[in-house]
Amino acid sequence: MAAVQETIDQVRQIDVDQYKYGFETEIEVEKAPKGLSEEIIRFISAKKQEPDWMLEWRLDAYRRWLTMEEPGWARVDYPRIDFNDIYYYAAPKTTSGPKSLDEVDPELLKVYEKLGIPLKEQEILAGVDKPRVAVDAVFDSVSVVTTFKKELAKAGVIFMSISEAVREHPELVKKYLGSVVPTTDNYYATLNSAVFTDGSFVYVPKGVRCPMELSTYFRINEKNTGQFERTLIIADEGAYVSYLEGCTAPQRDENQLHAAVVELVALDDAEIKYSTVQNWYPGDKQGKGGIYNFVTKRGDCRGDRSKISWTQVETGSAITWKYPSCILRGDDSRGEFYSIAVSNGHQQIDSGTKMIHLGKNTSSRIISKGIAAGVSQNTYRGQVSAHRKATNARNFTQCDSLLIGDRCGAHTVPYIEAKNSSAQFEHEATTSKISEDQLFYCLQRGIPEEAAIALIVNGFVKEVIQELPMEFAVEAQKLIGISLEGSVG
Amino acid sequence: MLEIKNLHARIAEDGTEIIRGLNLTVKAGEVAAIMGPNGSGKSTLSYILSGREDYEVTEGEILYNGENILELDPAERAAKGIFLAFQYPVEIPGVATMQFLKVAMNEQRKARGEAELTTPDFMRRVKEAAAELKINPDMLKRPLNVGFSGGEKKRAEILQMALLEPKLCVLDETDSGLDIDALKIVADGVNALKSPDRATIVITHYQRLLDYIVPDTVHVLYKGQIIRTGDKSLALELEANGYADIIGEAA
Ligand SMILES: Nc1ncnc2c1ncn2[C@@H]1O[C@H](COP(=O)(O)OP(=O)(O)OP(=O)(O)O)[C@@H](O)[C@H]1O
Ligand SMILES: [Mg+2]
């Protein structure tokens, strides 16, 4: 028991203070006054030079939101949020919208460099034969810069901030915004619809395979600022796109709210691969501070033979409330959910997915790997359902939990519902601990405890790591190691 | 190279004494065999040598190249050249054998202040060592020990030993589960590592292995003590007569 005991002791002294991205940047900002009202929403809309229909859409959502109650069913515990104590709009002063890299505040570029996103290099690399990534960077409330825009435009791909898209492609935005996650969907999604500030917009036209990975980095910098980004991705018939989002925030004593909405639409034969590496600040070792991550992500396999795949690596946030889901509407459509959720310290994760089978011969696959350390709570909550008309719906679910120490918890809450008797749903769940034997074996081979834990954990999550775009797989593995760093030595 | 003096050790959890005043000396270049009935403490001794924390040393000392190693953790001992081929090798799901080997080799190098191996250098070493032990390279892509047959596990242990080039090799019943051909291959692997600055402790129940790995000394471990030490003829005597006589004498 001794080595495990030591591990446990060290988990107790977790040092999430090692949070690598916890710096703050001094940048002049422009903020709306604290609190939420129709006036604030009008202010945001005006700042973004939005057309009237967009403003009305927001106001409708806001009025709806006023009638709603914060949900309480998730296995997470936190003091009530005062929604009037939050800034709903903060923008770096020097940028009123996306510009070319040369015009971006060098301070901002430095931030992204620190985060390991060499924006400048990305463009330089453009000429080089190497996997390339187009990046949209969202700083607090606004999108700062979108790289590779011209090249993408050549392929017909639209990749820009959602605010820009509202102005430049209103017909597309009008048609699809809120069509997957309606403004009435849930408390946080409705709030987001009222106040969303920025996010990414992607449209891949018929038959186009997006020539590069698209990526967005979100960063919350300002104090007491909520981040409400909105992302909308549409893959038209036969199109393919792979999209990655990364998230970080500075260390703060107060909790910060992040309530995003992501909508994906895949038409006939289209495929969308959406990957997330989420590393919002998790709070300190006493559980103080950290991001509340209340996110609604949903993909609509609207067309026949369409496919949507979610891959997430969740290591940050004080509280995570997140269920990237797929509506399998088209016949022969397919949904996938691959998840790694690491909780340490006082983190609370309630995450999972929904696979809603509506069309015929639809299939879905769920692989969830939860790792709990410290005094964290890690819950997988998943729903798989087959509609009456969904003949031959198939699902395979595998939920594995790994516990480090004995003060954390892992929970699996599956909801399974088949209204069509031809449905075939399989569910497997395991819970294990890093065994004393495994740890000693690694140590005996000269692998120190911390590296041994990282090695064993990375083995445990391998099936999911394989689903990440290659450039990010290594990063994700390192991140998992860092997130568990406090859990030993 | 190794001097164990009046070693007493117990299970940390419940205080049961397993090793009760054990003395053993193994010189550099020597092959020492340890034999003894089931449950006499052979595996426990190997764990204590390599620093497993489930056991508490209450008395005595272990000197390795003159240094008392009791305060060192298992990884530090490994970096100093102590290697244990496990009686029951442990499965590490999801971690390719190849990857495990690379991490282990590089961690030991790091601990000794040596440069990490380049990938081509690493690959070359693994390929050579695997070929010597007739290990199919495809096996190295599989997660370590997961689904390996008994014999494959034992071979994988010796592969690790060959690559890590330890100074003190402890083989705990490496012969169990091996077919006759595999036994020869593994024995050849062990013999190939023989050198004047390396010592080997072979824990076994059977003379058969000692036909291939010829010991310089043979020790009988019983109830946590070495009750008899001799040369290779002692193993033959045990094979013929069992432990009863020796145990009777000691009692
Ligand atoms: N961690 C432990 N907890 C409880 N009992 C233990 C533990 N470790 C060893 N023992 C006991 O100590 C005794 C010695 O065990 P050990 O495995 O060292 O024997 P061995 O000589 O290697 O036997 P074998 O020849 O069967 O491999 C046994 O009775 C065993 O049950
Ligand atoms: Mg044994």
Side-chain angles (χ1 to χ4, degrees):
Chain A
M1 283 324 288
V4 160
Q5 190 51 48
E6 192 176 316
T7 309
I8 295 168
D9 291 345
Q10 276 149 347
V11 167
R12 282 182 189 148
Q13 314 162 11
I14 42 138
D15 216 354
V16 245
D17 300 341
Q18 298 170 2
Y19 186 70
K20 214 173 84 174
Y21 305 96
F23 56 87
E24 175 180 359
T25 311
E26 292 284 338
I27 286 177
E28 262 202 285
V29 291
E30 181 175 19
K31 277 187 206 166
K34 247 187 197 175
L36 189 51
S37 63
E38 290 205 4
E39 223 173 305
I40 293 287
I41 292 168
R42 285 177 200 281
F43 173 89
I44 294 171
S45 187
K47 270 282 156 210
K48 302 197 160 288
Q49 299 156 33
E50 287 177 354
D52 284 347
W53 64 266
M54 195 67 249
L55 174 62
E56 284 311 314
W57 198 85
R58 288 174 180 277
L59 290 172
D60 270 356
Y62 175 62
R63 288 172 199 135
R64 174 84 187 193
W65 181 75
L66 289 174
T67 70
M68 296 169 91
E69 292 272 341
E70 217 177 324
W73 45 262
R75 195 183 185 110
V76 294
D77 193 23
Y78 57 94
R80 284 200 80 81
I81 299 171
D82 181 354
F83 288 92
N84 275 317
D85 197 32
I86 295 172
Y87 290 106
Y88 288 85
Y89 183 83
K93 239 183 194 155
T94 43
T95 33
S96 55
K99 297 179 177 180
S100 84
L101 281 171
D102 299 338
E103 289 172 56
V104 174
D105 185 340
E107 278 298 310
L108 259 181
L109 289 181
K110 263 188 232 155
V111 174
Y112 291 116
E113 245 170 61
K114 270 197 211 168
L115 295 173
I117 326 161
L119 282 172
K120 280 209 169 272
E121 260 173 63
Q122 306 253 9
E123 281 213 319
I124 297 163
L125 278 171
V128 185
D129 188 21
K130 221 186 142 173
R132 291 168 309 150
V133 181
V135 178
D136 183 20
V138 177
F139 196 83
D140 289 332
S141 303
V142 297
S143 174
V144 183
V145 63
T146 308
T147 60
F148 284 125
K149 221 164 145 180
K150 273 189 216 130
E151 247 205 82
L152 287 166
K154 231 190 282 168
V157 175
I158 304 171
F159 178 37
M160 54 177 57
S161 75
I162 190 114
S163 328
E164 255 183 301
V166 168
R167 295 190 299 266
E168 291 181 25
H169 301 281
E171 66 306 330
L172 283 173
V173 176
K174 243 184 186 167
K175 182 169 174 189
Y176 291 105
L177 190 72
S179 74
V180 186
V181 179
T183 52
T184 53
D185 193 81
N186 72 73
Y187 192 78
Y188 305 114
T190 305
L191 175 63
N192 174 288
S193 302
V195 303
F196 75 86
T197 34
D198 224 326
S200 300
F201 175 83
V202 178
Y203 173 77
V204 188
K206 268 184 200 172
V208 171
R209 201 183 158 83
C210 186
M212 60 186 79
E213 295 279 340
L214 302 183
S215 165
T216 300
Y217 275 83
F218 294 103
R219 177 157 177 90
I220 301 178
N221 196 59
E222 272 307 296
K223 248 188 192 149
N224 298 324
T225 302
Q227 190 170 49
F228 304 93
E229 88 260 4
R230 184 104 195 177
T231 293
L232 176 59
I233 300 177
I234 303 134
D236 212 325
E237 289 171 24
Y240 169 85
V241 62
S242 168
Y243 181 92
L244 183 119
E245 65 169 356
C247 322
T248 61
Q251 278 171 246
R252 300 229 182 262
D253 286 348
E254 317 83 45
N255 296 101
Q256 281 173 289
L257 179 62
H258 172 252
V261 172
V262 175
E263 296 178 279
L264 312 181
V265 180
L267 301 182
D268 285 356
D269 301 294
E271 180 176 349
I272 301 174
K273 203 172 154 50
Y274 193 104
S275 315
T276 304
V277 176
Q278 183 268 113
N279 187 28
W280 297 118
Y281 177 53
D284 69 7
K285 54 184 146 189
Q286 274 80 40
K288 203 167 173 207
I291 302 288
Y292 291 164
N293 191 28
F294 300 149
V295 171
T296 305
K297 292 187 166 177
R298 197 171 301 154
D300 190 354
C301 285
R302 209 163 279 184
D304 293 344
R305 297 166 304 278
S306 57
K307 180 178 169 188
I308 288 178
S309 164
W310 298 100
T311 305
Q312 59 174 24
V313 178
E314 302 280 316
T315 58
S317 297
I319 299 180
T320 302
W321 182 99
K322 179 180 175 194
Y323 315 89
S325 305
C326 296
I327 300 168
L328 304 169
R329 202 182 300 276
D331 291 344
D332 302 291
S333 61
R334 179 169 172 83
E336 292 175 344
F337 175 74
Y338 299 99
S339 170
I340 297 169
V342 182
S343 57
N344 196 357
H346 289 259
Q347 284 176 274
Q348 305 174 59
I349 297 182
D350 195 300
S351 182
T353 184
K354 287 187 208 173
M355 293 291 172
I356 315 287
H357 294 255
L358 302 178
K360 295 188 183 64
N361 304 317
T362 48
S363 63
S364 59
R365 181 178 163 85
I366 298 170
I367 308 283
S368 162
K369 303 277 181 177
I371 298 121
V375 292
S376 67
Q377 293 296 327
N378 201 323
T379 301
Y380 167 82
R381 189 182 301 276
Q383 179 185 348
V384 179
S385 69
H387 190 260
R388 240 175 297 115
K389 290 178 186 156
T391 36
N392 289 325
R394 274 161 298 141
N395 166 265
F396 174 75
T397 297
Q398 187 186 326
C399 279
D400 299 321
S401 308
L402 186 68
L403 298 167
I404 301 176
D406 55 7
R407 304 209 306 171
C408 50
H411 319 274
T412 302
V413 190
Y415 306 89
I416 298 167
E417 187 187 35
K419 290 193 176 143
N420 184 306
S421 59
S422 63
Q424 282 179 29
F425 292 167
E426 265 179 86
H427 182 97
E428 288 173 11
T430 66
T431 300
S432 53
K433 282 190 166 203
I434 290 188
S435 79
E436 192 66 43
D437 285 344
Q438 287 176 327
L439 217 44
F440 175 65
Y441 189 86
C442 294
L443 288 170
Q444 207 300 308
R445 296 307 186 243
I447 305 170
E449 198 157 9
E450 206 156 82
I453 298 238
L455 188 71
I456 293 167
V457 168
N458 274 309
F460 174 72
V461 300
K462 188 174 143 213
E463 278 166 282
V464 176
I465 292 283
Q466 284 169 340
E467 295 298 325
L468 282 173
M470 248 234 284
E471 307 87 290
F472 301 105
V474 178
E475 190 189 341
Q477 273 173 312
K478 275 195 205 133
L479 187 59
I480 292 167
I482 293 170
S483 307
L484 289 169
E485 230 162 56
S487 75
V488 283
Chain B
M1 167 165 267
L2 178 69
E3 257 181 289
I4 302 177
K5 293 184 192 160
N6 187 33
L7 188 71
H8 287 260
R10 60 185 187 195
I11 299 167
E13 209 172 23
D14 62 12
T16 315
E17 188 161 63
I18 309 282
I19 303 297
R20 304 182 178 97
L22 184 144
N23 292 291
L24 177 69
T25 302
V26 182
K27 294 196 205 64
E30 181 177 329
V31 174
I34 297 183
M35 304 182 83
N38 293 131
S40 55
K42 303 182 296 296
S43 294
T44 303
L45 175 63
S46 72
Y47 287 147
I48 292 168
L49 271 176
S50 42
R52 188 158 185 158
E53 292 184 30
D54 302 47
Y55 304 96
E56 229 170 58
V57 172
T58 50
E59 221 185 306
E61 57 183 3
I62 302 178
L63 300 178
Y64 171 67
N65 291 329
E67 180 192 6
N68 185 345
I69 55 169
L70 286 176
E71 292 306 311
L72 300 181
D73 74 31
E76 290 168 328
R77 296 187 201 192
K80 284 186 182 287
I82 296 179
F83 180 91
L84 168 61
F86 284 63
Q87 181 174 3
Y88 304 108
V90 180
E91 300 185 355
I92 315 280
V95 179
T97 304
M98 200 71 132
Q99 185 196 356
F100 185 88
L101 291 171
K102 192 169 184 187
V103 172
M105 288 170 81
N106 280 333
E107 287 292 346
Q108 290 205 10
R109 296 177 76 90
K110 252 199 277 181
R112 291 192 293 256
E114 298 163 15
E116 292 193 13
L117 290 170
T118 62
T119 301
D121 190 13
F122 166 75
M123 295 298 287
R124 184 183 49 75
R125 289 176 192 224
V126 173
K127 264 192 204 147
E128 279 174 19
E132 291 281 334
L133 291 163
K134 302 217 164 42
I135 290 174
N136 184 341
D138 280 344
M139 200 176 93
L140 303 178
K141 294 179 194 152
R142 288 166 52 191
L144 183 63
N145 292 327
V146 178
F148 287 13
S149 74
E152 285 169 344
K153 284 184 184 169
K154 295 301 173 75
R155 249 188 259 200
E157 292 291 289
I158 301 306
L159 174 67
Q160 294 180 54
M161 185 168 101
L163 288 168
L164 292 169
E165 301 177 320
K167 289 286 181 278
L168 175 64
C169 311
V170 182
L171 309 179
D172 191 358
E173 296 198 26
T174 299
D175 50 340
S176 69
L178 291 179
D179 64 42
I180 295 167
D181 295 334
L183 184 70
K184 264 178 89 171
I185 294 165
V186 164
D188 287 346
V190 174
N191 288 331
L193 279 175
K194 250 194 187 169
S195 85
D197 63 346
R198 183 173 282 140
T200 308
I201 297 176
V202 185
I203 297 171
T204 183
H205 287 293
Y206 304 106
Q207 166 59 34
R208 198 184 51 182
L209 176 69
L210 304 181
D211 287 340
Y212 297 111
I213 305 173
V214 181
D216 301 298
T217 53
V218 175
H219 309 267
V220 178
L221 179 57
Y222 179 66
K223 287 196 175 163
Q225 286 185 327
I226 300 292
I227 55 167
R228 178 85 170 262
T229 292
D231 61 15
K232 62 183 177 191
S233 64
L234 177 56
L236 291 166
E237 189 187 325
L238 289 170
E239 175 102 327
N241 306 328
Y243 292 107
D245 291 355
I246 290 175
I247 289 170
E249 273 169 42

